[in-house]
């Protein structure tokens, strides 16, 4: 039985064109960009070219900086701790939406141990951020506000342009984690008014272990990993050439093909939502319309998400997620689902589908049958 | 003209056997180790297998931890900041040899801004650490002492076992940066008495953008990049599968082949040293015997290292380093060479050769001729 992978938010196949393009940087073009001889300069040019491609994906101005990191977790840490610690003179407040990724929440919690006060911004039952609450909470002492572009668990896309307007009227910098959104919906840091933006390479089909942080010109931040002073002195460590070149090419392809690929995925998603919602007591989580084109998330009454996951995998050969892979080890109910107002018992029966290049319309009937069969069987077994 | 690459400390070709082995983790086996379904569990097993191979290279006990990071810079940051901030109750002192890598020095400097006092431990004219000085400097208030296994610029191997004995008599934890040494000389963390050890993947012919930190059982440290809690809660971020699996295989190969490869490189190195020291006013830097088998470093009077580098590259097609690639952008004299007692003008004429798998004895005459030609020509042009 051919497997169907529906958990692209947890990990993606590197695009074969990306691999072809970046492969020489593993075992042929191995210069150190800091070295002054020919192969070093060639490596340096390759890094700069990748930087331009990533900048183009998000329409960064040429005065802005794109800093390569080891991934979204590091970009979030750098954006938050780097900016806040460098700009302490502005105030001691930080703010974030209640549905931010744990790699945004935890660096902020670390800052609270150093005297910073963290304010949470609520979301509504669809996961949309409360814009009035931002005005209430954010003030001139708020050094940094973090609101994600779109949520990884419920797919809701936040109104970043409005968020930016309010944040900049009242506070200082806006950080946006675009890990789930980039490559699937257009992002324009200038139009949106973003100061710091987190990107993950693998989430746009580039190699794992690399990411980027966009930093608007004029925003100052401290390094989190000081050392040799690479990446404008902000992120030290010998450059991961294969990773960086690969991420650049992945960004170029994403920019070029998003316009065709995202509507293709959206059609598959819509067919899945239509079919799966025919199951009794099944509900879509997140916003019904303002959501990522490749993202469908559900909850089912009287069932555990983990049982859904295991049944789908072992009986039907289909990989789905329940909540975020990052918190799936702890068996706690998803913080995000509780934030949109679900009760604990409701939040436990969650299933998240994130589509990708490997998926097609022909898989839809098999997926729907598998979900129906899984839910029926589990409910029969359930003591509830 | 075929290029001869003699700067393996700045970047290495990933071993083709490592690539073959790890390749499936780029575009076939792409599960997230935190996911509970089949492909996630397979990924988890692959990470654990890699961890065992890295542990075997340094003879870690099975109770100890190997934590995968994004490279040596992050490992050094984590070892230093993570351990010191977690163990502040022990004291406010930290210590390091004066020839540590900049990614050890700079995290320590960051700590001094938080009230820690940093003590420097001198080295002699060969770069060997002053053991008496350690006893004088390190006391029960010294939370962490950092001494590298071998130096990247002058090749000197430090007496880590004696260092460990003295550090543990007087202070608390010993961190050892083994970036330059691992894979070329045997390292035994138990025999050597090491609490924290930094490893770089690419320096043992694994992929770039990945490294590891060995942490002895019982040593507690705070995460530097908090988030989803991967890597025992100490290093968050979705695992870089290709990088980690590749580093594991590179460690396995290094352990297996070091015994044959290092003497092979040492013979080439000795032939190079013999030939190059025939140049007038040329000197070996670092210890004449107690040095890395693949490492030869020199200085030449009345010449700039950068001119040597450019001449060797453009006229002879040979890539060498002058000082560390990490500081080669600043035109300052090498901190390491000044530390072994050289004057500024002496420290500027430095040339570092680090051999690797791509080198062989047949290249030796061409290299020696190139060095002789370069030095002669530059001295003729020199105003000094």
């Amino acid at each position: 039985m051919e497997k169907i992978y529906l958990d692209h938010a947890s990990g993606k196949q590197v695009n074969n064109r990306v691999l072809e393009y970046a492969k020489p940087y593993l075992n042929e073009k191995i210069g150190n960009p800091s070295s002054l001889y020919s192969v070093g300069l060639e490596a340096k040019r390759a890094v700069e070219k990748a930087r331009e491609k990533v900048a183009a994906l998000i329409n960064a101005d040429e005065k802005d900086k794109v800093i390569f990191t080891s991934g979204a977790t590091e970009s979030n840490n750098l954006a938050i701790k780097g900016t806040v610690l460098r700009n302490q003179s502005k105030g001691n407040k930080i703010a974030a939406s209640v549905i931010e990724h744990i790699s945004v929440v935890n660096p902020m919690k670390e800052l609270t141990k150093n005297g910073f006060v963290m304010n949470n911004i609520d979301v509504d039952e669809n996961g949309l951020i409360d814009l009035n609450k931002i005005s209430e909470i954010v003030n001139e002492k708020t050094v940094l506000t973090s609101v994600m572009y779109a949520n990884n668990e419920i797919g809701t896309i936040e109104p970043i342009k409005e968020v930016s307007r309010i944040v900049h009227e009242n506070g200082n910098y806006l950080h946006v984690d675009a890990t789930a959104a980039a490559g699937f919906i257009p992002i324009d840091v200038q139009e949106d008014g973003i100061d710091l933006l987190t990107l993950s390479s693998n989430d746009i089909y580039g190699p794992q272990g690399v990411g980027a942080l966009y930093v608007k010109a004029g925003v100052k931040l401290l390094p989190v990993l000081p050392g040799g002073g690479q990446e404008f002195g902000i992120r030290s460590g010998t450059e991961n050439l294969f990773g960086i070149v690969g991420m650049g090419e992945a960004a170029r392809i994403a920019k070029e093909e998003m316009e065709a690929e995202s509507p293709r995925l959206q059609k598959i998603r819509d067919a899945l939502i239509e079919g799966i919602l025919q199951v009794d007591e099944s509900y879509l989580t997140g916003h019904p319309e303002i959501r990522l084109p490749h993202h469908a998330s559900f909850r089912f009454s009287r069932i555990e998400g983990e049982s859904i996951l295991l049944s789908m995998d072992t009986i039907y050969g289909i990989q789905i997620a329940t909540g975020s892979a990052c918190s799936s080890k702890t068996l706690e109910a998803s913080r995000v689902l509780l934030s949109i107002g679900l009760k604990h018992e409701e939040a436990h029966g969650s299933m998240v589908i994130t589509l990708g290049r490997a998926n097609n319309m022909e898989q839809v009937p098999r997926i729907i049958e598998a979900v129906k069969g899984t839910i029926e069987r589990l409910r029969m077994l359930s003591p509830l």
Side-chain angles (χ1 to χ4, degrees), chain A:
Chain A
M1 175 173 53
E2 204 200 339
K3 289 197 172 189
I4 301 182
Y5 187 72
L6 300 176
D7 190 17
H8 287 82
S10 288
K12 289 186 179 68
Q13 293 190 319
V14 180
N15 187 320
N16 281 326
R17 288 171 287 163
V18 168
L19 281 188
E20 270 317 299
Y21 185 88
K23 222 170 45 181
Y25 294 89
L26 283 167
N27 58 358
E28 292 167 33
K29 301 178 174 181
I30 50 149
N32 186 316
S34 299
S35 300
L36 297 166
Y37 45 67
S38 47
V39 287
L41 297 177
E42 197 182 329
K44 194 177 157 64
R45 275 193 293 270
V47 169
E48 295 317 315
K49 196 166 172 186
R51 208 185 298 286
E52 285 165 21
K53 290 176 182 176
V54 173
L57 176 65
I58 55 173
N59 193 33
D61 188 89
E62 58 182 27
K63 291 192 298 293
D64 304 336
K65 286 192 175 65
V66 169
I67 295 162
F68 287 109
T69 67
S70 66
T73 290
E74 187 188 331
S75 292
N76 283 339
N77 268 271
L78 178 58
I80 294 166
K81 296 194 285 188
T83 310
V84 171
L85 293 173
R86 176 67 175 75
N87 294 278
Q88 298 191 44
S89 60
K90 294 187 195 288
N92 71 335
K93 284 181 62 178
I94 48 181
S97 89
V98 288
I99 58 169
E100 291 305 301
H101 190 263
I102 189 80
S103 61
V104 164
V105 175
N106 280 347
M108 287 209 168
K109 283 193 180 160
E110 190 184 310
L111 287 172
T112 63
K113 289 180 197 153
N114 295 318
F116 288 90
V117 178
M118 179 179 171
N119 296 128
N120 294 314
I121 308 164
D122 294 330
V123 296
D124 70 12
E125 71 280 7
N126 288 325
L128 281 177
I129 192 155
D130 185 337
L131 293 170
N132 292 327
K133 202 64 182 277
I134 304 180
S135 323
E136 275 172 42
I137 283 175
V138 173
N139 63 30
E140 76 281 1
K141 295 276 177 209
T142 309
V143 184
L144 185 92
T145 304
S146 204
V147 177
M148 67 206 317
Y149 215 104
N151 183 273
N152 51 312
E153 280 183 61
I154 55 175
T156 303
I157 302 170
E158 302 298 340
I160 292 298
K161 204 170 164 179
E162 284 73 55
V163 169
S164 166
R165 192 179 49 73
I166 302 172
V167 166
H168 289 116
E169 268 171 19
N170 297 274
N172 292 286
Y173 300 122
L174 174 65
H175 166 243
V176 175
D177 177 0
T179 302
F184 291 93
I185 55 175
I187 293 176
D188 184 324
V189 288
Q190 298 187 69
E191 174 75 12
D192 290 335
I194 294 169
D195 299 306
L196 299 131
L197 184 96
T198 290
L199 293 169
S200 154
S201 163
N202 186 241
D203 283 83
I204 57 171
Y205 301 96
Q208 291 186 314
V210 58
L213 181 67
Y214 160 83
V215 182
K216 189 183 164 134
V219 177
K220 297 221 170 3
L221 65 173
L222 285 179
V224 169
L225 300 175
Q230 288 88 345
E231 296 293 293
F232 313 104
I234 292 174
R235 204 291 180 174
S236 292
T238 298
E239 294 84 348
N240 174 358
L241 276 187
F242 167 74
I244 289 172
V245 169
M247 181 175 185
E249 184 63 1
R252 188 193 67 72
I253 294 173
K255 184 178 159 67
E256 202 172 289
E257 301 185 357
M258 194 191 306
E259 214 180 326
E261 175 68 359
S262 288
R264 185 185 79 83
L265 295 177
Q266 187 163 338
K267 273 187 206 138
I268 305 172
R269 182 203 70 180
D270 290 343
L272 284 174
I273 291 178
E274 197 190 329
I276 291 172
L277 286 184
Q278 286 170 15
V279 174
D280 275 354
E281 292 180 74
S282 68
Y283 310 89
L284 191 72
T285 58
H287 201 286
E289 284 104 38
I290 310 174
R291 65 184 302 135
L292 291 171
H294 63 301
H295 194 291
S297 51
F298 306 88
R299 67 177 182 86
F300 304 94
S301 306
R302 294 177 291 123
I303 314 198
E304 285 290 323
E306 203 165 303
S307 309
I308 304 174
L309 182 151
L310 293 173
S311 161
M312 290 288 285
D313 182 41
T314 53
I315 303 180
Y316 300 98
I318 297 174
Q319 286 80 50
I320 55 94
T322 173
S324 150
C326 314
S327 62
S328 62
K329 275 176 290 191
T330 71
L331 292 175
E332 289 168 33
S334 151
R335 189 172 41 83
V336 172
L337 296 183
L338 297 178
S339 296
I340 58 171
L342 298 185
K343 294 177 195 154
H344 266 86
E345 61 271 25
E346 293 171 335
H348 271 295
S350 130
M351 179 178 88
V352 182
I353 289 174
T354 39
L355 300 169
R357 287 183 182 273
N359 299 125
N360 55 57
M361 203 53 112
E362 286 64 49
Q363 297 168 333
V364 169
R366 196 178 128 199
I367 299 168
I368 293 173
E369 281 316 302
V371 174
K372 283 184 180 167
T374 290
I375 305 298
E376 260 173 44
R377 200 177 61 89
L378 290 176
R379 283 196 178 140
M380 272 170 52
L381 296 171
S382 165
L384 301 171

